C-alpha cells in the first residue's frame, strides 16, 4: 500500500493493538493512527492506556478506544470480543508479550504458563476470532510479534523462545493460507529492544545496543502485504542470515546462550 487512503481501505477502519500501553505497542498505535486508522488499545494498565489514548488522539486525530483486559485469561479475551462486537477491525497487531528468563528449573510453573498464555494462546484466540471477520470482508492484515530467539533454542530463556517460535510459524503459515482471503500476515522478529519487557537485562560493558521500538513497528507496518517476515536491526539481520545459511542450529543455540548468560548475569548468578 503506497498511500494513506489505500492503507486505510485495505486495513481499516479500525486497528486493534495488544500490549499497547508502552514500548512497541505504543509505537504501533501511533504509527498506524498516522495512517488514518482508528485504534483500539488493549492492555492491563488502564492509566497507561488512557495516557496512550490521549497522545494518539492529540497527535493524529484518530478515534481511540481503550479495553482493559488480561489476555492470559479467557475472560480477558472475551472482554476484547465484547468491546469490539460492532467495530470493524481491519488490522490486528498481536504485540502483547512477556518473558520469563532465568533458570528454567527455578521458574515457577505458573509463571511459565502465563508466558505461554500471553505469547501464544492469546494471539491464537484473537486471530481466530478476527480473521474470520476479515475473511468475510475479503481484506485485512495481521501482525505477529516474534523474536530473533525464535529461530533456535536459547538457554536461560527457553520458554519465551519457544513461544516466539510458535508465533513465527503460525504467522508464516497463515500468510500462505489466508492469502486467498486477501488477508496479509507478517511476523516481526526483533532482538533486544528498548522496552520494559525485562528489567533483568543488563547491557553494561557489552557490545550490544537495544534497538528503538519505533524501528520495529515501522518495518512491520511497511512490510505488511509485501513480505512475511521482518528482522529489524543490522546485527539481528546478520544473526538471522548466518544462523539460517551458515551455522548449524547447535552452534546458534550455544552462541545465543552465551549472550543471554552475559545479559542475565546478575539474575543467573554463578552457574
Amino acid at each position: 500500500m503506497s498511500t494513506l487512503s489505500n492503507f486505510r481501505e485495505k486495513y481499516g477502519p479500525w486497528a486493534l493493538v495488544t500490549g499497547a500501553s508502552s514500548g512497541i505497542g505504543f509505537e504501533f498505535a501511533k504509527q498506524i493512527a498516522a495512517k488514518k486508522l482508528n485504534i483500539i488499545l488493549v492492555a492491563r494498565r488502564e492509566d497507561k492506556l488512557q495516557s496512550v489514548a490521549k497522545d494518539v488522539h492529540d497527535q493524529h486525530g484518530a478515534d481511540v478506544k481503550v479495553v482493559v483486559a488480561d489476555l492470559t485469561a479467557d475472560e480477558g479475551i472475551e472482554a476484547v470480543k465484547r468491546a469490539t462486537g460492532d467495530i470493524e477491525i481491519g488490522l490486528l497487531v498481536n504485540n502483547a508479550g512477556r518473558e520469563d528468563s532465568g533458570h528454567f528449573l527455578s521458574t515457577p510453573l505458573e509463571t511459565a504458563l502465563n508466558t505461554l498464555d500471553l505469547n501464544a494462546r492469546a494471539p491464537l484466540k484473537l486471530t481466530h476470532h478476527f480473521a474470520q471477520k476479515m475473511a468475510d470482508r475479503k481484506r485485512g492484515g495481521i501482525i505477529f510479534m516474534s523474536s530473533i530467539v525464535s529461530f533456535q533454542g536459547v538457554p536461560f530463556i527457553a520458554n519465551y523462545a519457544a513461544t516466539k517460535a510458535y508465533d513465527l510459524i503460525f504467522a508464516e503459515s497463515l500468510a500462505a493460507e489466508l492469502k486467498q482471503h486477501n488477508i496479509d500476515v507478517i511476523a516481526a522478529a526483533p532482538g533486544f529492544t528498548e522496552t520494559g519487557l525485562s528489567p533483568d537485562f543488563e547491557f553494561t560493558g557489552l557490545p550490544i545496543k537495544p534497538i528503538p521500538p519505533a524501528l520495529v513497528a515501522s518495518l512491520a507496518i511497511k512490510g505488511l502485504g509485501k513480505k512475511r517476515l521482518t528482522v529489524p536491526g543490522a546485527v539481528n539481520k546478520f544473526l538471522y542470515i548466518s544462523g539460517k545459511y551458515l551455522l548449524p542450529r547447535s552452534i546458534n543455540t550455544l552462541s545465543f546462550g552465551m549472550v543471554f548468560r552475559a545479559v542475565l548475569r546478575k539474575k543467573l548468578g554463578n552457574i
Side-chain angles (χ1 to χ4, degrees):
M1 300 293 107
S2 59
T3 68
L4 297 182
S5 60
N6 285 342
F7 192 92
R8 180 180 171 87
E9 181 180 352
K10 178 66 184 291
Y11 304 120
W14 287 83
L16 187 149
V17 182
T18 68
S21 59
S22 63
I24 299 172
F26 185 16
E27 287 295 336
F28 270 121
K30 291 190 295 183
Q31 295 184 32
I32 293 171
K35 291 183 174 293
K36 306 306 179 183
L37 272 66
N38 300 313
I39 309 293
I40 296 177
L41 308 172
V42 180
R44 294 179 301 169
R45 298 175 293 178
E46 184 172 10
D47 57 335
K48 293 284 188 178
L49 284 178
Q50 294 294 353
S51 177
V52 171
K54 184 178 186 305
D55 285 348
V56 171
H57 175 73
D58 290 350
Q59 290 182 33
H60 304 290
D63 290 336
V64 184
K65 288 177 62 70
V66 165
V67 180
V68 180
D70 179 359
L71 298 181
T72 66
D74 289 338
E75 175 54 34
I77 300 294
E78 292 305 314
V80 173
K81 292 180 181 179
R82 289 194 300 270
T84 58
D86 59 350
I87 298 175
E88 185 176 320
I89 306 296
L91 178 58
L92 171 63
V93 182
N94 287 308
N95 170 73
R98 54 164 292 165
E99 60 88 19
D100 52 11
S101 61
H103 298 288
F104 173 71
L105 296 181
S106 300
T107 302
L109 179 59
E110 182 179 358
T111 299
L113 289 173
N114 282 340
T115 299
L116 179 64
D117 286 338
L118 184 59
N119 294 4
R121 286 171 58 88
L124 168 63
K125 293 176 181 178
L126 293 175
T127 299
H128 191 270
H129 175 73
F130 289 109
Q132 301 271 5
K133 301 176 183 295
M134 294 178 190
D136 290 341
R137 296 191 296 268
K138 293 296 182 183
R139 64 186 181 89
I142 306 172
I143 298 174
F144 286 87
M145 187 53 54
S146 183
S147 169
I148 193 67
V149 301
S150 67
F151 301 107
Q152 65 284 302
V154 182
F156 311 120
I157 197 164
N159 186 49
Y160 175 82
T163 63
K164 291 304 176 179
Y166 174 87
D167 292 332
L168 173 65
I169 299 303
F170 190 35
E172 289 183 331
S173 301
L174 290 183
E177 183 174 342
L178 299 182
K179 185 177 181 180
Q180 63 178 319
H181 300 296
N182 200 30
I183 300 173
D184 298 326
V185 183
I186 190 171
F192 295 113
T193 307
E194 297 169 356
T195 70
L197 181 64
S198 177
D200 298 309
F201 291 168
E202 174 59 62
F203 300 101
T204 303
L206 299 175
I208 301 173
K209 301 298 181 184
I211 61 176
L215 176 64
V216 178
S218 65
L219 292 180
I221 294 168
K222 182 179 179 180
L224 187 63
K226 303 179 181 68
K227 55 178 66 175
R228 297 177 180 180
L229 173 67
T230 176
V231 182
V235 173
N236 296 322
K237 289 179 181 177
F238 170 78
L239 292 173
Y240 167 68
I241 293 172
S242 63
K244 183 175 182 180
Y245 298 107
L246 302 177
L247 301 175
R249 290 171 64 89
S250 59
I251 298 299
N252 289 326
T253 293
L254 177 63
S255 60
F256 270 83
M258 293 173 63
V259 169
F260 276 90
R261 185 195 298 267
V263 170
L264 293 165
R265 56 191 181 276
K266 292 183 179 180
K267 183 175 184 180
L268 294 174
N270 295 322
I271 56 175

